[in-house]
Amino acid sequence: MFDFLEILPFPVIVTDHTGVIESYNQSFCRLAKNRPVQGDIKTLFSEWEMYDGNLVVAKLRNKPYLLLPEFFKKEEKAFIVYFVMKGQFIEFFQQKMHELQDLKKLYETIIENSLDVIYITDRDGNTLRVSSNIEKLTGYPKESFIGKNVKDFVRKGKFKESMTLKVLQKGEMVSSVAEIDSLNLKTAIPVINDEGEIYKVVTFVRNLTELNQIYNELNNALKLKNRYKRELDNIKKSDVIVKSKKMKEIFETADRIANVDATVLILGETGVGKDVLANHIYRTSDRNEKGKLIKINCGAIPYHLLESELFGYEAGAFTGAKQSGKPGMFELAHKGVLFLDEVGELPLVLQVKLLRVLQEKQIQRIGSTKPKEIDVRLIAATNRNLKELVGKGEFREDLYYRLNVVPIHIPPLRERKEEILPLVQSLIEKNNEKYHFNKVFDKDLKEFFYNYEWPGNIRELSNLVERLILTIPDNMIKFSDLPEEYQNIRVDSLDLVDQAVKVNDMGIKPLKEAVEEVERYLLANALEKFGSTYKIARELKTSQTTIVRKLKKYNLLVQHHSS
């Protein structure tokens, strides 16, 4: 049955389909020598390792051999013929086979763990390999694609289009965006052999819907982070100490209107911090990321220059104009905020132009015939009563109502006493850091700061603190270190001449008794005149707790309440 084996010049062994030895030739017999050749072929060899079902590396009598199996049928019976080759290069071959197996595992891992669907075909469009996540995309398991041709899938409607077929037609990479159940980016790449021919096509399908969702979530997280950063920067940079109920309400309002484009009108005396509030609104708003905060003081620039500063000018618009022209403050503040300080000083002629800008959202440079679109939020501030100016004809009523959309009045420092000492401490710390000092104010000096009226508000307070820190050499700064103009301030509201006790009428008595008598008389008159311990403390330039303690000492509080 196997006589032909002897014709072959190399060792051959034949098994049935289960591996049981059926026959062999003399060449193999000499190879096996006296070892019986029977039973399962794997037991004949001391080692047996099969690669991909068509190659076997084995050892016989401690010598390596390479076996090439071939399947055939004879008389309706299946057999396997193993052609045995000496294994001089077996170890090298095994190393390469292990490397190929490692590459195969890596290849499998990449395909099965990729977020993209990976689809591989041969040059004819037959499916060789596909990742498991294709089931999520199409609803069909990957096994239903293996070995099938993509043309059949298109014809049966399983695929709307085939990127593989497009590559085979064009001979180059193709991409497209399509919506199946979601938005998908499909890219097919040809694999070229040494002859320059396409022999495989690899297609990648990426779900853009999930990526867009991740992008949006990341973008929202970044916006939130930037918002928190702006708020932290705002806390660090702000010169306003927010302690009073009124100031807390003001800053809460500022936060609420930060991201709307309504015009804000900040009112208050000089030096109360109108520019600081404008800074806070800008830093808290989204415009902080898009544009700049541009400031201009309408009262500090001459009229003939103010128009060109606000609206800009074209080249040659007037004598002395730059050849390149110049953008105005409105253009510089595009996408940002323009802060018009002392808007009450704006001339009537420019009020008309400002009104037009607010209504039409356009500016026109001096010397230009074309309007220009702008996107600017306006914050205005003044220490004047604009309503009164309207009545006198010095301020346009229509502009007043355009500006007065969100009015915010900042109270003077004397009406928010609880903020004075924290503000003083903050200014001391900032100046110490700025000038590398380590100075402090004593109790009496702080008491003066608390009770003083501060007609110049925060600006005056800041100026005095810096002046004391720079001019007084000692680290401990006292009340006596105050400039003369502050030390000479008297309690003008009390007529001390009429209410003081004349020394001549008192006679000679111990100094302590005389001081207490004068003190009691002064407190009694102050209590009758002002009625409030806070007002008395303010007029006598001391603290309210000191006034209460002394009134109790002289039993004046009880007398006052009983009367």
Side-chain angles (χ1 to χ4, degrees), residues 4-66:
F4 70 92
L5 296 180
E6 294 300 335
I7 303 172
L8 300 174
F10 41 78
V12 180
I13 187 169
V14 180
T15 71
D16 64 13
H17 70 283
T18 65
V20 175
I21 296 171
E22 292 281 344
S23 182
Y24 50 91
N25 63 8
Q26 287 299 316
S27 293
F28 185 81
C29 187
R30 286 193 294 274
L31 205 66
K33 292 193 174 178
N34 297 326
R35 188 162 186 167
V37 181
Q38 60 186 17
D40 192 325
I41 189 172
K42 294 179 183 179
T43 62
L44 177 64
F45 293 86
S46 58
E47 291 183 15
W48 182 276
E49 189 173 1
M50 180 168 283
Y51 294 91
D52 293 332
N54 54 15
L55 195 63
V56 176
V57 175
K59 278 189 177 181
L60 180 63
R61 297 172 57 248
N62 290 324
K63 291 182 179 180
Y65 294 93
L66 189 66

Side-chain angles (χ1 to χ4, degrees), residues 378-490:
L378 188 68
I379 299 177
T382 183
N383 60 358
R384 302 184 69 183
N385 188 327
L386 294 186
K387 194 69 175 173
E388 278 186 13
L389 295 180
V390 170
K392 293 177 182 178
E394 296 176 10
F395 201 87
R396 292 183 63 95
E397 186 175 21
D398 45 7
L399 177 59
Y400 169 72
Y401 288 117
R402 277 284 180 180
L403 295 176
N404 199 41
V405 178
V406 183
I408 298 177
H409 181 267
I410 301 179
L413 192 55
R414 61 182 173 276
E415 293 180 12
R416 38 189 172 115
K417 289 279 190 181
E418 57 268 62
E419 292 174 356
I420 292 176
L421 292 183
L423 184 55
V424 168
Q425 187 58 38
S426 173
L427 290 168
I428 292 171
E429 291 172 0
K430 286 180 181 178
N431 281 287
N432 277 336
E433 183 179 353
K434 180 179 179 181
Y435 298 113
H436 308 291
F437 291 150
N438 189 26
K439 299 191 177 184
V440 294
F441 288 3
D442 76 355
K443 183 171 178 280
D444 291 338
L445 181 56
K446 286 183 178 179
E447 194 167 294
F448 165 79
F449 271 85
Y450 180 82
N451 290 298
Y452 182 56
E453 290 291 306
W454 300 111
N457 292 290
I458 296 173
R459 190 173 293 129
E460 182 186 5
L461 175 67
S462 176
N463 176 277
L464 182 56
V465 170
E466 186 170 13
R467 179 177 174 182
L468 289 170
I469 286 176
L470 289 176
T471 59
I472 305 304
D474 301 329
N475 280 340
M476 175 63 76
I477 302 175
K478 304 181 288 296
F479 175 83
S480 58
D481 295 320
L482 278 170
E484 188 176 347
E485 64 265 28
Y486 286 96
Q487 293 197 38
N488 289 338
I489 293 172
R490 292 179 174 271

Side-chain angles (χ1 to χ4, degrees), residues 246-254 277 408-411:
K246 181 62 178 174
M247 290 302 290
K248 287 178 181 176
E249 289 174 354
I250 286 172
F251 274 79
E252 285 172 3
T253 300
L277 182 61
I408 298 177
H409 181 267
I410 301 179

Side-chain angles (χ1 to χ4, degrees), residues 110-252:
I110 292 172
I111 289 179
E112 290 303 322
N113 292 280
S114 172
L115 293 177
D116 294 352
V117 173
I118 299 177
Y119 198 104
I120 303 172
T121 68
D122 62 16
R123 70 178 69 192
D124 299 316
N126 297 310
T127 305
L128 302 176
R129 189 77 176 82
V130 63
S131 55
S132 299
N133 53 2
I134 195 171
E135 185 171 356
K136 185 179 178 181
L137 181 69
T138 64
Y140 299 102
K142 68 176 185 177
E143 290 77 17
S144 65
F145 295 92
I146 304 297
K148 308 288 179 59
N149 195 288
V150 292
K151 294 177 184 176
D152 296 332
F153 295 143
V154 173
R155 187 172 62 254
K156 294 177 181 178
K158 206 169 188 178
F159 291 165
K160 289 183 180 179
E161 62 174 355
S162 171
M163 302 299 288
T164 299
L165 296 179
K166 288 184 178 182
V167 167
L168 293 174
Q169 290 167 5
K170 295 182 177 182
E172 60 184 18
M173 182 183 81
V174 294
S175 292
S176 72
V177 177
E179 190 165 348
I180 303 172
D181 292 326
S182 56
L183 195 63
N184 295 284
L185 172 64
K186 300 189 293 181
T187 303
I189 302 170
V191 182
I192 310 297
N193 61 19
D194 294 338
E195 286 74 36
E197 300 172 338
I198 297 175
Y199 76 102
K200 282 185 177 64
V201 178
V202 182
T203 302
F204 301 89
V205 183
R206 174 164 295 186
N207 188 319
L208 295 181
T209 302
E210 291 181 0
L211 285 177
N212 284 340
Q213 183 179 351
I214 292 170
Y215 169 79
N216 290 332
E217 289 175 358
L218 178 60
N219 196 37
N220 290 335
L222 288 173
K223 284 183 179 178
L224 190 61
K225 171 186 169 265
N226 290 334
R227 179 186 167 191
Y228 289 150
K229 183 178 182 297
R230 288 199 307 271
E231 290 176 357
L232 285 172
D233 289 343
N234 180 58
I235 291 169
K236 291 176 183 177
K237 294 177 182 178
S238 178
D239 292 327
V240 174
I241 302 296
V242 181
K243 294 289 184 182
S244 68
K245 181 181 177 183
K246 181 62 178 174
M247 290 302 290
K248 287 178 181 176
E249 289 174 354
I250 286 172
F251 274 79
E252 285 172 3

